[in-house]
Amino acid sequence: MFWDRFDGVRDNLMVTPLEKARRDPNSMKARILDSARKLFGENGYSGTTTRMIAKAVGIDISTLYYHWGEKADLYDAVLMATQEGLKQQLKNIEKVIHGKPLPERLEIAINMSCDYLSQNPEITNLILLNYFTNSQNGDIPNFNFIDIISDIAISMGLAMDKDKITKQAKARVMAVMLSLFNFIAGKKFLSPIIGAGSEEYLSVVKETLNFILIPAFIQGKNETL
Amino acid sequence: MFWDRFDGVRDNLMVTPLEKARRDPNSMKARILDSARKLFGENGYSGTTTRMIAKAVGIDISTLYYHWGEKADLYDAVLMATQEGLKQQLKNIEKVIHGKPLPERLEIAINMSCDYLSQNPEITNLILLNYFTNSQNGDIPNFNFIDIISDIAISMGLAMDKDKITKQAKARVMAVMLSLFNFIAGKKFLSPIIGAGSEEYLSVVKETLNFILIPAFIQGKNETL
DNA sequence: TATTTTCTCCATCAATTGATGCAAACATGT
DNA sequence: ACATGTTTGCATCAATTGATGGAGAAAATA
């Protein structure tokens, strides 16, 4: 019986399903999570069925439900994993730009972010789709934006204390993020409109972001927020 | 029999369903279109069912199908109507700002656009949701962005000829639009993050857009695109 | 009024959806 | 080999989806 097994703490007792999946990237849990992330990113929550995910992994839906339970729970885990990856990437950028003057900091940050996000396009899709559909639909789990916004605000020198960030500063960071995310997430839609090929698109985006953001934040540097 | 009626051209022979609906705003067609626009804007294409729309109008689904046929056709009409409204509003703005110097033009355009879009929030939702889901899903009708982009580019003095707009100019206009659209569409999601109430939110957004866009486009005014 | 056309709703369809029960397969330790 | 718990897939469920046929009501036409 299970209560006979007192030989120490069973290590997955206090471990979240997401963490369990991350420990072994080849586990069924992790494979499902990967496919789910891709598909949710492509089609959104209601546009993605559990059968689509199961088929992508090559398993039966009941196996999926065995590992992750409800569809909403799986989606929640996908958002968590995405969020973690993004935060990790922000830390990497922070390391590189630390100490440098603001214009250079911005340029490097834009450059690195563009590269990272365009190499993992499902991230921006996932976040933006979530925040659109979720702004109206309360029963879908939602992405935690505020942490990331705060981190960036501090990194960009718009605030000192994580708890004392002005509305204006948050809004400015948000504008930056939204532009960037939209350009990446909407690549397939926007690149034909702009009339640029895949490689050219990324450089046009970088140039545009630099064009728009750098003068604003240089000018506003000494402004009181 | 219908072929006996040769008393002139029957005027709705060459009339699109959308136009027919616009002629009489109280017609069933128009009422369905209105509810559909609202719901598609709130929940996206796959998140909105024909039954939801019918229920909102207070009719049976078969009545809806009688008037609009396939769900995709109705969605298409919704996008068309939205697009027309947006273009009309752009013309209004153009009239007001015509002849004024660039910084003022930008400020007025931002101001008017913000007001218009926040009074018709389903517009931005519709467009953004469409462009996200459609960037991957080809069988859903899609919004015609390029016309609007071109109009704005000319109005902002980034180009002279509608057929000769550089990639950079298009990208810059797009960045402006995307920021604005996202702030409006994401109001419910973003305002708690910023920490602003409903009225305050709009003014913070306007301020932020001015802060970011005006220096960029002033600086870049004499640049060769 | 009579007839034709336009409209509305009920009932129903097949396909798809999220979700589960159960038995067989697999692994793991004794 | 045995008993244990862990995975997996088949079959199936009720609910929901987009969509239609047909009967009758309403409106227009004669």
Side-chain angles (χ1 to χ4, degrees):
Chain A
M1 296 287 162
F2 74 89
W3 52 75
D4 294 334
R5 309 181 73 256
F6 262 88
D7 45 344
V9 182
R10 279 184 295 164
D11 61 359
N12 49 1
L13 228 163
M14 298 299 289
V15 169
T16 66
L18 177 59
E19 201 158 343
K20 207 176 167 188
R22 194 179 29 221
R23 287 187 187 175
D24 177 8
N26 288 324
S27 68
M28 189 83 292
K29 259 187 145 59
R31 284 170 56 208
I32 295 172
L33 194 70
D34 279 353
S35 291
R37 176 157 67 172
K38 204 175 264 180
L39 287 168
F40 279 130
E42 283 172 12
N43 315 305
Y45 183 77
S46 53
T48 305
T49 68
T50 52
R51 280 171 175 82
M52 287 165 67
I53 301 168
K55 195 180 176 186
V57 184
I59 55 168
D60 190 87
I61 37 164
S62 58
T63 305
L64 185 149
Y65 277 94
Y66 170 79
H67 284 284
W68 286 105
E70 282 190 357
K71 181 187 176 186
D73 290 342
L74 174 57
Y75 184 67
D76 206 21
V78 164
L79 288 185
M80 291 278 219
T82 304
Q83 197 168 316
E84 276 179 28
L86 197 58
K87 281 190 120 177
Q88 188 52 49
Q89 178 63 13
L90 285 177
K91 276 185 192 161
N92 293 347
I93 295 177
E94 175 63 27
K95 266 184 203 162
V96 177
I97 66 179
H98 185 260
K100 294 202 163 71
L102 185 58
E104 202 176 333
R105 246 184 11 241
L106 283 170
E107 199 181 341
I108 295 173
I110 289 170
N111 202 46
M112 287 182 74
S113 301
C114 276
D115 289 340
Y116 172 72
L117 292 173
S118 65
Q119 274 155 30
N120 307 276
E122 76 277 9
I123 294 178
T124 53
N125 280 11
L126 217 41
I127 294 172
L128 290 177
L129 274 177
N130 173 253
Y131 112 80
F132 282 126
T133 52
N134 209 61
S135 59
Q136 267 86 10
N137 193 337
D139 48 282
I140 302 176
N142 70 338
F143 193 85
N144 184 3
F145 233 31
I146 196 157
D147 261 17
I148 288 174
I149 297 283
S150 304
D151 288 347
I152 298 179
I154 292 175
S155 167
M156 284 172 80
L158 292 171
M160 294 296 141
D161 191 344
K162 205 170 173 174
D163 300 322
K164 290 175 192 166
I165 305 177
T166 63
K167 291 164 190 172
Q168 281 74 14
K170 282 184 202 156
R172 289 173 191 184
V173 172
M174 223 171 255
V176 178
M177 275 191 71
L178 291 178
S179 295
L180 172 55
F181 278 33
N182 275 275
F183 271 123
I184 303 296
K187 183 180 177 182
K188 280 190 189 146
F189 184 80
L190 299 177
S191 64
I193 295 178
I194 291 184
S198 189
E199 342 73 53
E200 197 185 5
Y201 181 76
L202 197 61
S203 69
V204 172
V205 166
K206 284 180 184 175
E207 187 199 330
T208 304
L209 289 173
N210 278 309
F211 169 83
I212 290 181
L213 299 176
I214 290 184
F217 283 95
I218 299 309
Q219 157 224 243
K221 199 189 170 185
N222 297 319
E223 207 179 297
T224 44
L225 284 177
Chain B
M1 296 287 162
F2 74 89
W3 53 75
D4 294 333
R5 310 181 71 256
F6 261 88
D7 45 344
V9 182
R10 280 184 293 165
D11 61 359
N12 50 1
L13 228 164
M14 296 300 287
V15 168
T16 66
L18 178 58
E19 202 159 339
K20 209 176 165 187
R22 193 178 31 219
R23 288 187 188 176
D24 177 9
N26 288 324
S27 67
M28 188 84 295
K29 260 187 144 59
R31 285 170 55 208
I32 294 172
L33 194 70
D34 279 353
S35 291
R37 177 158 65 173
K38 203 175 264 180
L39 287 167
F40 278 130
E42 283 172 11
N43 314 305
Y45 184 77
S46 54
T48 305
T49 68
T50 52
R51 280 171 176 82
M52 287 166 68
I53 300 168
K55 195 180 177 185
V57 184
I59 55 168
D60 190 86
I61 37 164
S62 54
T63 304
L64 186 149
Y65 277 95
Y66 171 78
H67 284 284
W68 286 104
E70 282 191 356
K71 182 187 176 185
D73 290 342
L74 174 57
Y75 184 68
D76 206 21
V78 164
L79 288 187
M80 290 277 220
T82 305
Q83 197 169 316
E84 276 179 27
L86 196 59
K87 280 190 121 179
Q88 187 54 48
Q89 177 63 13
L90 285 178
K91 277 184 191 162
N92 294 346
I93 295 176
E94 174 63 26
K95 267 184 202 163
V96 176
I97 65 179
H98 184 259
K100 296 202 162 71
L102 185 57
E104 203 176 331
R105 241 173 33 230
L106 282 171
E107 198 180 341
I108 295 173
I110 289 170
N111 202 44
M112 288 182 73
S113 301
C114 276
D115 289 339
Y116 171 72
L117 292 174
S118 65
Q119 273 154 30
N120 308 276
E122 76 277 9
I123 295 178
T124 53
N125 279 14
L126 216 42
I127 294 173
L128 290 177
L129 274 178
N130 173 254
Y131 112 79
F132 281 128
T133 53
N134 210 62
S135 59
Q136 266 86 12
N137 193 338
D139 48 283
I140 302 176
N142 70 336
F143 193 84
N144 184 1
F145 232 31
I146 195 157
D147 261 17
I148 289 174
I149 297 282
S150 303
D151 288 347
I152 298 177
I154 291 175
S155 167
M156 285 172 81
L158 292 172
M160 294 295 143
D161 190 344
K162 205 170 174 175
D163 299 322
K164 289 176 192 164
I165 305 176
T166 63
K167 291 165 190 172
Q168 282 75 13
K170 283 184 201 156
R172 287 173 193 186
V173 173
M174 221 170 256
V176 177
M177 276 191 69
L178 291 178
S179 295
L180 172 55
F181 278 33
N182 275 275
F183 271 123
I184 303 296
K187 184 180 177 182
K188 279 188 188 147
F189 184 81
L190 299 177
S191 65
I193 295 178
I194 290 183
S198 188
E199 342 74 52
E200 197 186 5
Y201 180 75
L202 198 60
S203 69
V204 171
V205 167
K206 284 179 184 176
E207 190 199 329
T208 304
L209 289 173
N210 278 309
F211 169 82
I212 290 181
L213 299 177
I214 290 185
F217 283 94
I218 300 307
Q219 158 227 241
K221 198 189 171 186
N222 296 320
E223 206 179 297
T224 45
L225 283 178

